[in-house]
Amino acid sequence: MARPQAPRGQGRARVIDAAVELFAEHGVRGTSLQMIAEHLGVTKAAVYYQFHAKEDIVLAVLEEALEEMSAFVSAAEAETSADAAATAALRGLVELMVSHRKAVAALMRDPEVERIMAAHESLHSLVGRLNSLLLGPSPTLRRRIAVSVVGAGVAQSGIDPLLADVDDDALRAQLLELGPTMLARG
């Protein structure tokens, strides 16, 4: 008798969840499709049915976050002033990082993820648009440094083991208080 199969959508979600766990432990390069299959207790063919390559899984893990990022970047670009645009971009970035802490922890600073993202011009362009919003027109050296520190800090706060006990609401509130202070034009 054949084993029952989950509907394709459920199967994709299970593969993504397993991949995120394994990526966090072994990195993207160190995780094989076979490892994902074994983690799920299915055949490698079952994983191939959902995704044809590991890169497709990485992009699927990033997909929801990138859709959210595209939406908040577009909304921030519609603001009427540079300060309002930067504030909206920062709020969007904080919300994105806090709501996707697990995926960020699994993928952040992974050279394979950076390679995959660099190969997709639309992703690179989206990050450039976000940076432009945070920098504003004619950024000073101070502003450029502040944007670098805030961006890295927001991302790091989601994966920092020293902050693992901080709930999402408290982390979000603190980031939204500290970020604008650091970005204040001076």
Side-chain angles (χ1 to χ4, degrees):
M1 176 183 262
R3 288 173 45 174
Q5 293 183 346
R8 189 164 188 166
Q10 289 176 349
R12 286 179 64 85
R14 288 185 63 226
V15 170
I16 290 168
D17 290 345
V20 167
E21 286 181 40
L22 292 168
F23 292 163
E25 186 176 343
H26 304 286
V28 172
R29 185 169 293 193
T31 301
S32 68
L33 293 178
Q34 183 63 46
M35 290 169 70
I36 295 169
E38 289 171 4
H39 186 81
L40 291 169
V42 300
T43 66
K44 190 174 175 181
V47 174
Y48 272 120
Y49 176 74
Q50 304 297 332
F51 296 97
H52 299 293
K54 185 167 45 173
E55 181 172 322
D56 296 334
I57 298 172
V58 171
L59 292 171
V61 170
L62 296 171
E63 183 176 27
E64 182 181 348
L66 293 172
E67 288 173 3
E68 290 173 24
M69 185 175 176
S70 180
F72 80 71
V73 165
S74 294
E77 288 171 335
E79 291 290 342
T80 56
S81 73
D83 286 339
T87 298
L90 178 61
R91 280 191 188 117
L93 180 61
V94 167
E95 185 58 40
L96 181 75
M97 290 301 172
V98 171
S99 64
H100 295 280
R101 285 170 91 169
K102 185 176 178 182
V104 169
L107 301 176
M108 191 170 159
R109 294 192 187 102
D110 188 306
E112 189 67 9
V113 173
E114 291 175 11
R115 183 197 64 75
I116 291 168
M117 289 183 70
H120 290 80
E121 179 56 35
S122 61
L123 304 179
H124 184 69
S125 172
L126 185 57
V127 171
R129 289 169 54 206
L130 173 60
N131 281 331
S132 292
L133 288 163
L134 293 170
L135 288 167
S138 305
T140 63
L141 175 61
R142 179 195 181 287
R143 180 66 175 212
R144 290 174 33 218
I145 293 170
V147 167
S148 177
V149 169
V150 168
V154 167
Q156 179 64 28
S157 68
I159 65 169
D160 192 330
L162 296 174
L163 300 176
D165 65 326
V166 177
D167 70 71
D168 290 352
D169 290 336
L171 180 60
R172 181 182 297 106
Q174 290 300 308
L175 289 172
L176 289 174
E177 182 179 326
L178 294 168
T181 302
M182 289 194 69
L183 291 179
R185 299 192 192 277

